[in-house]
Amino acid sequence: QYFSVTYGAGGSTRERTFGIVKALTERSDTPITPHLSCIGDNKVEIADILTNYKALGINRLVALRGDLPSGMGGLGGLPYALDLVKFIREHSGDYFRIKVAGYPEMHPQAKNFESDIQNLIAKYHAGASEAITQFFYNPDSYLFLRDALAKRGVKQADFPIVAGIMPITNASNLLRFADGCGADVPRFIRKRLADFGDDKQAIKAFGFEVVVKLCERLIAEGVPALHFYSMNHVSPNKELIEALGLV
């Protein structure tokens, strides 16, 4: 449905992000969806970015708070993703389809699950079109989030919760990334990865099996879409998508 393009902390890769987005729009018929983070930026800077994307014909965004780069003081004029969603709607009306982040296992800085769910609902009411989740390996955590929103009147038909899928190809990178962003890697996966040691082929084969089964379960449960994180590597996701019959 689209390719998403990430954005550096505090806009540190802003020019490269814009350059990649521009190049992709010229070379691909697939819609491009840039990530846009707001922490550390001011409204004038964000407005300029929105205007430039509109000029390119970009009409989808992933609106994120982002991480404050080390050494940068202050949160900027739009400290949270909710503020960014509101500003995009104020600036551009309904032009952009806005995607936001969702956390099946709770945002690492949230007070509790309920406050995290309420924050996601607030982003929906502010104008977010859908949510893309942080990656996870326990499908029940995704289903809990989906059902918790439905119980509070926010249904998939109105606000799709797209499942974020991370392939498993490198044990140390995965565990470091997961620990840094608050995503849970179940004990059985950690143990198996440890058993494989430096056997890269065994890690990839095991990881492939785990993620295929995860996706199959989600599809059976009616997930509206899957968002595959590439981490700049094409092959793992290409193989997953082919194995799932999505091409």
Side-chain angles (χ1 to χ4, degrees), residues 136-138 168 171 174-175 184-196 206-207 210-211 214:
F136 59 92
Y137 297 106
N138 180 352
I168 300 174
L174 173 68
L175 296 177
D184 180 56
V185 178
R187 180 178 172 83
F188 87 95
I189 295 179
R190 288 179 179 265
K191 288 292 186 181
R192 290 294 299 276
L193 292 176
D195 288 345
F196 292 131
F206 169 70
V210 167
V211 177
L214 169 66

Side-chain angles (χ1 to χ4, degrees), residues 33-52:
T33 304
H35 289 204
L36 178 59
S37 64
C38 57
I39 194 167
D41 276 339
N42 60 53
K43 292 182 178 181
V44 172
E45 292 170 327
I46 297 296
D48 285 344
I49 293 170
L50 296 175
T51 299
N52 288 335

Side-chain angles (χ1 to χ4, degrees), residues 59-105:
N59 61 0
R60 308 171 188 228
L61 295 170
V62 181
L64 307 166
R65 185 198 71 174
D67 300 315
L68 190 66
S70 59
M72 180 179 287
L75 301 180
L78 300 166
Y80 298 106
L82 176 59
D83 302 310
L84 178 57
V85 172
K86 291 178 180 177
F87 181 73
I88 293 171
R89 287 291 177 236
E90 291 169 4
H91 179 275
S92 303
D94 293 330
Y95 176 80
F96 289 105
R97 182 172 179 83
I98 304 173
K99 308 167 194 299
V100 295
Y103 296 87
E105 294 156 345

Side-chain angles (χ1 to χ4, degrees), residues 128-139:
S129 307
E130 68 182 49
I132 302 172
T133 74
Q134 178 63 275
F135 72 90
F136 59 92
Y137 297 106
N138 180 352

